[in-house]
Amino acid sequence: MPSMNRPMRRTRLGLLSLLALLTGAPSPAWAQAPAALKNQAKAAAAKAQAKTSQAPQAQELSDALKAPRPKGGEYFGLYLMDKKVGWFFTDLTVLPGNKAQSINELIFKAQVGTRVSERVHREVRVYEAKPGGKLLSFTVTQKGDGGDNELVGTVTGDSLRVVRKRPGQPDEVLKPMPLPKETIEDADQARVALLRGQKVEGSTLDGTDLETYRTVTTVEAPEEQMLGGVKVKLSRVSTLSEKEKVPVAAFLTTDGKMVRVDFGQTMQARAESESVAKRMDLVEVFGLTRVVLPKPLPAKAREVPGQVKLVMKNLPEKFQQDTYRQKYQRLPDGRVEVTLLAAPPSPKGRVARPVADPDGGENLKSTLAVEADAPAIKAQAKSIIREEKDAYTAARMLSAWVYSNLQKDYGASADRATDVLRQKKGDCTEHSLLTVAMLRASGIPARRVDGVIYMVNSDGVPALYWHEWVEAFVGEWTQLDPTFNQPVADATHFYVGYEGNAEITPLIGSLQVTDVK
């Protein structure tokens, strides 16, 4: 695949944690339910209690296990802008020994340019089955796009022990982590909320970054919808994660079957039989998710310093925050004029490394993905910049090295910086991930930027494609693009968020550009 034609970041990155909210991750805090829902919840609870009382129990079961649900788990088709791109399976069952097991499996498959990208993400979690039961262990398995690896976590004493396993690599024992806050109720907060008729609040140990996030789920007014040609009243719950910040609405029947989950207006999971769920379209995601422009951008947009103006429609107000690169002017008809700017950092503003992080250290952290403390990452960064003290000069050297040494390949993705360094292949996400890891290892605060970039592909249509690049603090913030070897990301880059920020997903398929100036 030509390296200059396909910069879009993989759409899977913002989806995994969103889908975990479907049923297998800790969550919530919820609002009071309407009286009708409370009565319905009480009836369901009484029914569930009657069933469980027929068999002797060593201890009382959690509400997550009392709530009615389909036996054998549930399958869902996963749709992006009404095109099927994957499927999802979820189940929660009682195990011997007063334990419970949650299973969540996601398969994402789409055509990315000329390649077929496929990702398998499976999580198995074991809890105490009693009310407030603790998370005891988990196994997170990832295969395909992003690389093959497995995380095995076990509660031992007063800490969480996690082992990372990769094919052909020695097992890696991560630093001991605090005991998880997540409980059995967090394994299926939607049904717990409906059973109790009130909001539920909890914490999720995210399976992709091993960070803990608060989640709030609210029982909302029921809705009538058509199912199989019949009008049915469905319960509705809405979940908001501290990580994702995108409301996720789930719709359930009175007997506990989840029929649909809406992830904003872009993504939707629909209940389907196993055979139907696994029957997927082969969707070409570039053409599906791009933002078509009314005309090409002017040449000045690629100059540095340079600028361009875009008139946008359907850009929510929360994204309209002025920065050193983007300025917003609201127009009378509800549209907004965005001025994109590109300029190198001021010579007077540049400082020597190591550089203090203006965000208190968040942009210098070594994480599960951005392995800034890994010996291989630190050694590679030092071999590139050697004794260079100027932070911006060092940042440019690292970005240029990544551009020159990584093969542009959408079939060799990796989610960990050390894996990227070892295989030296990948798309824009791998270029940005490795660059940020080496920047942090060199004492330069940095983060990955999500947004869109201007391209004209083989069909001749000028458009904005989803992309990822880098922002570094060198005395002031500046943006670099290691995928295209730009020491200053030019004005064709429109930033909307940071890596892992699923707030941007509702923009896919909704954002429009009506004029170019």
Side-chain angles (χ1 to χ4, degrees):
M1 177 183 313
S3 63
M4 302 304 286
N5 289 342
R6 302 295 187 184
M8 193 192 93
R9 76 185 290 268
R10 295 181 301 278
T11 56
R12 62 169 172 80
L13 293 175
L15 303 180
L16 298 180
S17 297
L18 279 174
L19 289 170
L21 298 176
L22 187 59
T23 60
S27 200
W30 322 35
Q32 297 299 314
L37 278 179
K38 289 185 177 181
N39 293 334
Q40 183 185 97
K42 289 178 181 178
K47 184 177 179 181
Q49 286 277 23
K51 287 184 178 180
T52 56
S53 63
Q54 294 174 4
Q57 297 289 336
Q59 61 182 21
E60 183 184 358
L61 290 177
S62 161
D63 285 347
L65 298 168
K66 293 178 183 178
R69 65 167 39 79
K71 293 183 178 179
E74 298 170 280
Y75 283 89
F76 298 83
L78 180 63
Y79 293 82
L80 172 64
M81 296 171 59
D82 212 34
K83 298 291 186 180
K84 197 170 189 179
V85 294
W87 58 269
F88 187 75
F89 172 78
T90 180
D91 196 15
L92 179 64
T93 56
V94 178
L95 297 177
N98 299 316
K99 296 180 182 179
Q101 176 178 269
S102 168
I103 299 176
N104 291 276
E105 185 172 11
L106 166 71
I107 282 73
F108 175 88
K109 186 176 182 179
Q111 187 170 333
V112 183
T114 59
R115 299 280 187 97
V116 175
S117 173
E118 185 169 6
R119 156 63 66 100
V120 177
H121 183 94
R122 177 181 171 87
E123 298 191 9
V124 179
R125 303 188 184 211
V126 176
Y127 304 84
E128 297 174 328
K130 65 183 181 181
K134 300 175 182 178
L135 175 64
L136 301 174
S137 65
F138 64 83
T139 301
V140 178
T141 305
Q142 295 178 323
K143 294 182 178 180
D145 183 42
D148 296 355
N149 74 94
E150 186 173 76
L151 298 173
V152 180
T154 308
V155 170
T156 56
D158 59 355
S159 66
L160 175 65
R161 181 179 186 270
V162 180
V163 179
R164 179 185 174 200
K165 302 180 178 182
R166 293 177 290 179
Q169 301 290 317
D171 290 354
E172 177 188 359
V173 180
L174 305 184
K175 294 179 181 179
M177 299 174 59
L179 290 175
K181 296 180 180 179
E182 120 181 33
T183 67
I184 178 65
E185 287 76 25
D186 295 323
D188 192 351
Q189 293 182 342
R191 291 184 176 91
V192 171
L194 288 173
L195 186 66
R196 296 176 179 175
Q198 63 183 33
K199 69 179 181 179
V200 175
E201 189 172 343
S203 299
T204 304
L205 180 66
D206 187 83
T208 60
D209 61 18
L210 298 185
E211 297 285 342
T212 296
Y213 301 95
R214 300 291 292 174
T215 311
V216 176
T217 304
T218 306
V219 178
E220 299 184 341
E223 294 186 11
E224 286 191 345
Q225 297 186 16
M226 298 296 293
L227 291 180
V230 179
K231 187 175 289 187
V232 178
K233 180 174 288 188
L234 299 176
S235 300
R236 171 177 173 144
V237 294
S238 180
T239 301
L240 186 65
S241 165
E242 177 188 28
K243 177 181 181 180
E244 309 298 350
K245 300 181 178 66
V246 177
V248 177
F251 300 85
L252 297 90
T253 61
T254 54
D255 59 355
K257 180 181 179 182
M258 192 173 291
V259 298
R260 200 180 86 227
V261 182
D262 294 342
F263 306 95
Q265 298 179 347
T266 303
M267 293 290 305
Q268 189 177 85
R270 304 172 189 172
E272 296 174 343
S273 66
E274 179 179 358
S275 60
V276 173
K278 293 181 177 180
R279 192 186 311 143
M280 289 185 285
D281 305 326
L282 191 56
V283 179
E284 203 292 303
V285 293
F286 285 125
L288 181 66
T289 60
R290 68 183 180 181
V291 181
V292 175
L293 301 181
K295 61 182 179 181
L297 294 189
K300 64 182 180 180
R302 295 202 179 277
E303 298 173 357
V304 178
Q307 73 171 52
V308 67
K309 294 185 178 182
L310 304 177
V311 178
M312 294 186 173
K313 184 179 179 182
N314 300 330
L315 181 66
E317 186 175 339
K318 66 180 179 180
F319 292 100
Q320 301 176 31
Q321 305 295 322
D322 284 354
T323 70
Y324 66 100
R325 282 185 58 100
Q326 297 177 188
K327 307 297 180 183
Y328 299 85
Q329 181 180 351
R330 297 179 189 175
L331 303 179
D333 58 2
R335 296 181 299 167
V336 59
E337 182 180 271
V338 185
T339 301
L340 305 180
L341 305 165
S346 166
K348 293 183 179 180
R350 288 159 53 173
V351 297
R353 62 182 185 90
V355 184
D357 182 7
D359 293 336
E362 185 68 24
N363 301 301
L364 286 169
K365 282 176 58 177
S366 182
T367 69
L368 189 64
V370 184
E371 301 163 297
D373 285 347
I377 297 295
K378 297 172 74 172
Q380 185 62 65
K382 184 171 179 59
S383 73
I384 296 168
I385 62 175
R386 299 185 182 277
E387 302 303 320
E388 177 59 56
K389 292 299 183 183
D390 181 74
Y392 180 52
T393 301
R396 288 189 303 170
M397 294 169 70
L398 293 170
S399 181
W401 186 91
V402 170
Y403 168 79
S404 299
N405 288 273
L406 259 63
Q407 178 184 342
K408 279 58 177 174
D409 187 347
Y410 281 85
S413 301
D415 289 343
R416 309 286 184 256
T418 53
D419 290 338
V420 178
L421 180 60
R422 187 179 67 255
Q423 68 184 25
K424 292 186 173 64
K425 296 180 180 180
D427 59 24
C428 61
T429 59
E430 284 70 41
H431 284 67
S432 299
L433 173 58
L434 181 55
T435 303
V436 167
M438 291 198 297
L439 283 165
R440 293 184 183 183
S442 305
I444 302 173
R447 53 200 178 194
R448 291 181 281 169
V449 176
D450 285 342
V452 289
I453 185 174
Y454 172 65
M455 298 294 300
V456 179
N457 280 320
S458 57
D459 60 5
V461 177
L464 301 176
Y465 290 84
W466 292 92
H467 185 49
E468 184 173 288
W469 60 100
V470 171
E471 188 170 49
F473 188 77
V474 296
E476 59 186 74
W477 287 108
T478 187
Q479 293 186 6
L480 311 90
D481 191 334
T483 305
F484 298 120
N485 197 27
Q486 295 184 1
V488 176
D490 65 29
T492 70
H493 294 67
F494 174 56
Y495 147 87
V496 291
Y498 295 109
E499 164 60 22
N501 185 346
E503 282 187 283
I504 70 174
T505 56
L507 296 178
I508 300 174
S510 174
L511 183 65
Q512 298 178 31
V513 175
T514 60
D515 195 10
V516 174
K517 300 180 180 179

PDB file of all heavy atoms in Angstrom, residues 386-409:
ATOM      1  N   ARG A 386      21.590  11.395  21.082  1.00  0.00           N
ATOM      2  CA  ARG A 386      22.884  11.470  21.765  1.00  0.00           C
ATOM      3  C   ARG A 386      22.873  12.548  22.848  1.00  0.00           C
ATOM      4  O   ARG A 386      22.098  12.466  23.778  1.00  0.00           O
ATOM      5  CB  ARG A 386      23.999  11.686  20.742  1.00  0.00           C
ATOM      6  CG  ARG A 386      24.087  10.521  19.721  1.00  0.00           C
ATOM      7  CD  ARG A 386      25.248  10.663  18.788  1.00  0.00           C
ATOM      8  NE  ARG A 386      25.258   9.581  17.812  1.00  0.00           N
ATOM      9  CZ  ARG A 386      25.767   8.372  18.017  1.00  0.00           C
ATOM     10  NH1 ARG A 386      26.338   8.103  19.179  1.00  0.00           N
ATOM     11  NH2 ARG A 386      25.731   7.436  17.073  1.00  0.00           N
ATOM     12  N   GLU A 387      23.697  13.572  22.703  1.00  0.00           N
ATOM     13  CA  GLU A 387      23.787  14.589  23.755  1.00  0.00           C
ATOM     14  C   GLU A 387      23.027  15.865  23.419  1.00  0.00           C
ATOM     15  O   GLU A 387      23.227  16.898  24.069  1.00  0.00           O
ATOM     16  CB  GLU A 387      25.261  14.926  24.026  1.00  0.00           C
ATOM     17  CG  GLU A 387      26.112  13.729  24.429  1.00  0.00           C
ATOM     18  CD  GLU A 387      25.557  13.018  25.654  1.00  0.00           C
ATOM     19  OE1 GLU A 387      25.099  13.716  26.597  1.00  0.00           O
ATOM     20  OE2 GLU A 387      25.573  11.770  25.673  1.00  0.00           O
ATOM     21  N   GLU A 388      22.162  15.810  22.417  1.00  0.00           N
ATOM     22  CA  GLU A 388      21.398  17.005  22.022  1.00  0.00           C
ATOM     23  C   GLU A 388      20.542  17.487  23.198  1.00  0.00           C
ATOM     24  O   GLU A 388      19.751  16.742  23.756  1.00  0.00           O
ATOM     25  CB  GLU A 388      20.509  16.692  20.821  1.00  0.00           C
ATOM     26  CG  GLU A 388      19.626  17.856  20.386  1.00  0.00           C
ATOM     27  CD  GLU A 388      20.423  19.097  20.015  1.00  0.00           C
ATOM     28  OE1 GLU A 388      21.310  18.977  19.135  1.00  0.00           O
ATOM     29  OE2 GLU A 388      20.179  20.166  20.636  1.00  0.00           O
ATOM     30  N   LYS A 389      20.686  18.747  23.551  1.00  0.00           N
ATOM     31  CA  LYS A 389      19.979  19.305  24.699  1.00  0.00           C
ATOM     32  C   LYS A 389      18.702  20.051  24.306  1.00  0.00           C
ATOM     33  O   LYS A 389      17.730  20.065  25.057  1.00  0.00           O
ATOM     34  CB  LYS A 389      20.898  20.233  25.494  1.00  0.00           C
ATOM     35  CG  LYS A 389      22.042  19.513  26.201  1.00  0.00           C
ATOM     36  CD  LYS A 389      21.502  18.509  27.208  1.00  0.00           C
ATOM     37  CE  LYS A 389      22.632  17.831  27.979  1.00  0.00           C
ATOM     38  NZ  LYS A 389      22.108  16.800  28.912  1.00  0.00           N
ATOM     39  N   ASP A 390      18.711  20.708  23.145  1.00  0.00           N
ATOM     40  CA  ASP A 390      17.527  21.475  22.739  1.00  0.00           C
ATOM     41  C   ASP A 390      16.365  20.513  22.514  1.00  0.00           C
ATOM     42  O   ASP A 390      16.435  19.585  21.699  1.00  0.00           O
ATOM     43  CB  ASP A 390      17.820  22.260  21.470  1.00  0.00           C
ATOM     44  CG  ASP A 390      16.614  23.078  21.027  1.00  0.00           C
ATOM     45  OD1 ASP A 390      16.324  24.097  21.669  1.00  0.00           O
ATOM     46  OD2 ASP A 390      15.936  22.665  20.043  1.00  0.00           O
ATOM     47  N   ALA A 391      15.272  20.738  23.225  1.00  0.00           N
ATOM     48  CA  ALA A 391      14.154  19.790  23.195  1.00  0.00           C
ATOM     49  C   ALA A 391      13.523  19.691  21.816  1.00  0.00           C
ATOM     50  O   ALA A 391      13.195  18.593  21.353  1.00  0.00           O
ATOM     51  CB  ALA A 391      13.105  20.195  24.228  1.00  0.00           C
ATOM     52  N   TYR A 392      13.361  20.815  21.124  1.00  0.00           N
ATOM     53  CA  TYR A 392      12.711  20.767  19.809  1.00  0.00           C
ATOM     54  C   TYR A 392      13.607  20.086  18.775  1.00  0.00           C
ATOM     55  O   TYR A 392      13.134  19.288  17.956  1.00  0.00           O
ATOM     56  CB  TYR A 392      12.333  22.175  19.348  1.00  0.00           C
ATOM     57  CG  TYR A 392      11.665  22.184  17.990  1.00  0.00           C
ATOM     58  CD1 TYR A 392      10.575  21.373  17.727  1.00  0.00           C
ATOM     59  CD2 TYR A 392      12.127  23.011  16.969  1.00  0.00           C
ATOM     60  CE1 TYR A 392       9.948  21.385  16.486  1.00  0.00           C
ATOM     61  CE2 TYR A 392      11.520  23.028  15.729  1.00  0.00           C
ATOM     62  CZ  TYR A 392      10.433  22.209  15.496  1.00  0.00           C
ATOM     63  OH  TYR A 392       9.829  22.210  14.262  1.00  0.00           O
ATOM     64  N   THR A 393      14.897  20.366  18.822  1.00  0.00           N
ATOM     65  CA  THR A 393      15.827  19.693  17.911  1.00  0.00           C
ATOM     66  C   THR A 393      15.806  18.184  18.137  1.00  0.00           C
ATOM     67  O   THR A 393      15.768  17.400  17.185  1.00  0.00           O
ATOM     68  CB  THR A 393      17.249  20.236  18.098  1.00  0.00           C
ATOM     69  OG1 THR A 393      17.263  21.649  17.844  1.00  0.00           O
ATOM     70  CG2 THR A 393      18.219  19.550  17.155  1.00  0.00           C
ATOM     71  N   ALA A 394      15.802  17.782  19.405  1.00  0.00           N
ATOM     72  CA  ALA A 394      15.742  16.358  19.731  1.00  0.00           C
ATOM     73  C   ALA A 394      14.430  15.740  19.243  1.00  0.00           C
ATOM     74  O   ALA A 394      14.415  14.621  18.707  1.00  0.00           O
ATOM     75  CB  ALA A 394      15.897  16.161  21.233  1.00  0.00           C
ATOM     76  N   ALA A 395      13.336  16.466  19.410  1.00  0.00           N
ATOM     77  CA  ALA A 395      12.030  15.957  18.967  1.00  0.00           C
ATOM     78  C   ALA A 395      12.016  15.741  17.459  1.00  0.00           C
ATOM     79  O   ALA A 395      11.509  14.728  16.960  1.00  0.00           O
ATOM     80  CB  ALA A 395      10.929  16.926  19.382  1.00  0.00           C
ATOM     81  N   ARG A 396      12.578  16.693  16.722  1.00  0.00           N
ATOM     82  CA  ARG A 396      12.639  16.546  15.260  1.00  0.00           C
ATOM     83  C   ARG A 396      13.502  15.355  14.861  1.00  0.00           C
ATOM     84  O   ARG A 396      13.183  14.628  13.909  1.00  0.00           O
ATOM     85  CB  ARG A 396      13.184  17.825  14.637  1.00  0.00           C
ATOM     86  CG  ARG A 396      12.216  18.998  14.677  1.00  0.00           C
ATOM     87  CD  ARG A 396      12.726  20.155  13.851  1.00  0.00           C
ATOM     88  NE  ARG A 396      14.043  20.595  14.298  1.00  0.00           N
ATOM     89  CZ  ARG A 396      14.811  21.455  13.646  1.00  0.00           C
ATOM     90  NH1 ARG A 396      14.405  21.944  12.477  1.00  0.00           N
ATOM     91  NH2 ARG A 396      15.976  21.828  14.132  1.00  0.00           N
ATOM     92  N   MET A 397      14.590  15.130  15.563  1.00  0.00           N
ATOM     93  CA  MET A 397      15.477  14.007  15.257  1.00  0.00           C
ATOM     94  C   MET A 397      14.767  12.668  15.471  1.00  0.00           C
ATOM     95  O   MET A 397      14.878  11.739  14.655  1.00  0.00           O
ATOM     96  CB  MET A 397      16.741  14.090  16.117  1.00  0.00           C
ATOM     97  CG  MET A 397      17.621  15.289  15.815  1.00  0.00           C
ATOM     98  SD  MET A 397      18.936  15.536  17.057  1.00  0.00           S
ATOM     99  CE  MET A 397      20.003  14.127  16.706  1.00  0.00           C
ATOM    100  N   LEU A 398      14.013  12.562  16.564  1.00  0.00           N
ATOM    101  CA  LEU A 398      13.291  11.326  16.853  1.00  0.00           C
ATOM    102  C   LEU A 398      12.195  11.078  15.824  1.00  0.00           C
ATOM    103  O   LEU A 398      12.016   9.950  15.338  1.00  0.00           O
ATOM    104  CB  LEU A 398      12.693  11.387  18.259  1.00  0.00           C
ATOM    105  CG  LEU A 398      13.709  11.388  19.411  1.00  0.00           C
ATOM    106  CD1 LEU A 398      13.021  11.699  20.729  1.00  0.00           C
ATOM    107  CD2 LEU A 398      14.435  10.054  19.495  1.00  0.00           C
ATOM    108  N   SER A 399      11.445  12.127  15.484  1.00  0.00           N
ATOM    109  CA  SER A 399      10.370  11.997  14.492  1.00  0.00           C
ATOM    110  C   SER A 399      10.928  11.596  13.131  1.00  0.00           C
ATOM    111  O   SER A 399      10.375  10.723  12.443  1.00  0.00           O
ATOM    112  CB  SER A 399       9.596  13.314  14.389  1.00  0.00           C
ATOM    113  OG  SER A 399       8.545  13.217  13.456  1.00  0.00           O
ATOM    114  N   ALA A 400      12.031  12.213  12.735  1.00  0.00           N
ATOM    115  CA  ALA A 400      12.646  11.896  11.442  1.00  0.00           C
ATOM    116  C   ALA A 400      13.160  10.459  11.413  1.00  0.00           C
ATOM    117  O   ALA A 400      13.060   9.771  10.384  1.00  0.00           O
ATOM    118  CB  ALA A 400      13.780  12.875  11.154  1.00  0.00           C
ATOM    119  N   TRP A 401      13.711   9.986  12.533  1.00  0.00           N
ATOM    120  CA  TRP A 401      14.206   8.604  12.585  1.00  0.00           C
ATOM    121  C   TRP A 401      13.057   7.615  12.405  1.00  0.00           C
ATOM    122  O   TRP A 401      13.177   6.620  11.676  1.00  0.00           O
ATOM    123  CB  TRP A 401      14.913   8.337  13.904  1.00  0.00           C
ATOM    124  CG  TRP A 401      15.561   6.980  13.962  1.00  0.00           C
ATOM    125  CD1 TRP A 401      16.844   6.661  13.612  1.00  0.00           C
ATOM    126  CD2 TRP A 401      14.941   5.751  14.377  1.00  0.00           C
ATOM    127  NE1 TRP A 401      17.059   5.306  13.775  1.00  0.00           N
ATOM    128  CE2 TRP A 401      15.912   4.719  14.240  1.00  0.00           C
ATOM    129  CE3 TRP A 401      13.664   5.415  14.848  1.00  0.00           C
ATOM    130  CZ2 TRP A 401      15.635   3.396  14.563  1.00  0.00           C
ATOM    131  CZ3 TRP A 401      13.386   4.090  15.168  1.00  0.00           C
ATOM    132  CH2 TRP A 401      14.368   3.104  15.023  1.00  0.00           C
ATOM    133  N   VAL A 402      11.928   7.865  13.067  1.00  0.00           N
ATOM    134  CA  VAL A 402      10.775   6.978  12.939  1.00  0.00           C
ATOM    135  C   VAL A 402      10.282   6.952  11.494  1.00  0.00           C
ATOM    136  O   VAL A 402       9.985   5.890  10.935  1.00  0.00           O
ATOM    137  CB  VAL A 402       9.646   7.413  13.897  1.00  0.00           C
ATOM    138  CG1 VAL A 402       8.357   6.653  13.597  1.00  0.00           C
ATOM    139  CG2 VAL A 402      10.066   7.191  15.350  1.00  0.00           C
ATOM    140  N   TYR A 403      10.196   8.125  10.877  1.00  0.00           N
ATOM    141  CA  TYR A 403       9.768   8.185   9.478  1.00  0.00           C
ATOM    142  C   TYR A 403      10.680   7.348   8.580  1.00  0.00           C
ATOM    143  O   TYR A 403      10.208   6.604   7.712  1.00  0.00           O
ATOM    144  CB  TYR A 403       9.761   9.631   8.993  1.00  0.00           C
ATOM    145  CG  TYR A 403       9.615   9.762   7.493  1.00  0.00           C
ATOM    146  CD1 TYR A 403       8.372   9.627   6.887  1.00  0.00           C
ATOM    147  CD2 TYR A 403      10.728  10.009   6.683  1.00  0.00           C
ATOM    148  CE1 TYR A 403       8.236   9.730   5.506  1.00  0.00           C
ATOM    149  CE2 TYR A 403      10.609  10.108   5.302  1.00  0.00           C
ATOM    150  CZ  TYR A 403       9.360   9.970   4.727  1.00  0.00           C
ATOM    151  OH  TYR A 403       9.228  10.066   3.361  1.00  0.00           O
ATOM    152  N   SER A 404      11.977   7.451   8.786  1.00  0.00           N
ATOM    153  CA  SER A 404      12.945   6.790   7.917  1.00  0.00           C
ATOM    154  C   SER A 404      13.084   5.299   8.184  1.00  0.00           C
ATOM    155  O   SER A 404      13.471   4.538   7.290  1.00  0.00           O
ATOM    156  CB  SER A 404      14.324   7.451   8.067  1.00  0.00           C
ATOM    157  OG  SER A 404      14.283   8.809   7.695  1.00  0.00           O
ATOM    158  N   ASN A 405      12.762   4.845   9.403  1.00  0.00           N
ATOM    159  CA  ASN A 405      13.062   3.465   9.776  1.00  0.00           C
ATOM    160  C   ASN A 405      11.839   2.560   9.938  1.00  0.00           C
ATOM    161  O   ASN A 405      12.008   1.356  10.128  1.00  0.00           O
ATOM    162  CB  ASN A 405      13.874   3.453  11.067  1.00  0.00           C
ATOM    163  CG  ASN A 405      15.291   3.940  10.864  1.00  0.00           C
ATOM    164  OD1 ASN A 405      16.184   3.166  10.523  1.00  0.00           O
ATOM    165  ND2 ASN A 405      15.502   5.239  11.051  1.00  0.00           N
ATOM    166  N   LEU A 406      10.634   3.117   9.863  1.00  0.00           N
ATOM    167  CA  LEU A 406       9.443   2.292   9.934  1.00  0.00           C
ATOM    168  C   LEU A 406       8.855   2.106   8.540  1.00  0.00           C
ATOM    169  O   LEU A 406       8.619   3.086   7.821  1.00  0.00           O
ATOM    170  CB  LEU A 406       8.372   2.915  10.844  1.00  0.00           C
ATOM    171  CG  LEU A 406       8.272   2.323  12.259  1.00  0.00           C
ATOM    172  CD1 LEU A 406       9.568   2.549  13.019  1.00  0.00           C
ATOM    173  CD2 LEU A 406       7.091   2.908  13.005  1.00  0.00           C
ATOM    174  N   GLN A 407       8.637   0.846   8.177  1.00  0.00           N
ATOM    175  CA  GLN A 407       7.985   0.542   6.911  1.00  0.00           C
ATOM    176  C   GLN A 407       6.501   0.867   7.017  1.00  0.00           C
ATOM    177  O   GLN A 407       5.852   0.521   8.002  1.00  0.00           O
ATOM    178  CB  GLN A 407       8.167  -0.948   6.576  1.00  0.00           C
ATOM    179  CG  GLN A 407       7.490  -1.386   5.296  1.00  0.00           C
ATOM    180  CD  GLN A 407       7.638  -2.885   5.075  1.00  0.00           C
ATOM    181  OE1 GLN A 407       8.497  -3.522   5.676  1.00  0.00           O
ATOM    182  NE2 GLN A 407       6.805  -3.434   4.221  1.00  0.00           N
ATOM    183  N   LYS A 408       5.958   1.547   6.002  1.00  0.00           N
ATOM    184  CA  LYS A 408       4.541   1.887   6.000  1.00  0.00           C
ATOM    185  C   LYS A 408       3.758   0.628   5.623  1.00  0.00           C
ATOM    186  O   LYS A 408       3.742   0.225   4.466  1.00  0.00           O
ATOM    187  CB  LYS A 408       4.236   3.011   5.015  1.00  0.00           C
ATOM    188  CG  LYS A 408       4.535   4.414   5.549  1.00  0.00           C
ATOM    189  CD  LYS A 408       5.961   4.615   5.970  1.00  0.00           C
ATOM    190  CE  LYS A 408       6.238   6.041   6.419  1.00  0.00           C
ATOM    191  NZ  LYS A 408       7.597   6.195   6.950  1.00  0.00           N
ATOM    192  N   ASP A 409       3.119   0.011   6.619  1.00  0.00           N
ATOM    193  CA  ASP A 409       2.487  -1.285   6.403  1.00  0.00           C
ATOM    194  C   ASP A 409       1.258  -1.410   7.304  1.00  0.00           C
ATOM    195  O   ASP A 409       1.377  -1.468   8.524  1.00  0.00           O
ATOM    196  CB  ASP A 409       3.483  -2.408   6.721  1.00  0.00           C
ATOM    197  CG  ASP A 409       2.955  -3.783   6.363  1.00  0.00           C
ATOM    198  OD1 ASP A 409       1.746  -3.907   6.109  1.00  0.00           O
ATOM    199  OD2 ASP A 409       3.758  -4.726   6.348  1.00  0.00           O
TER     200      ASP A 409
END
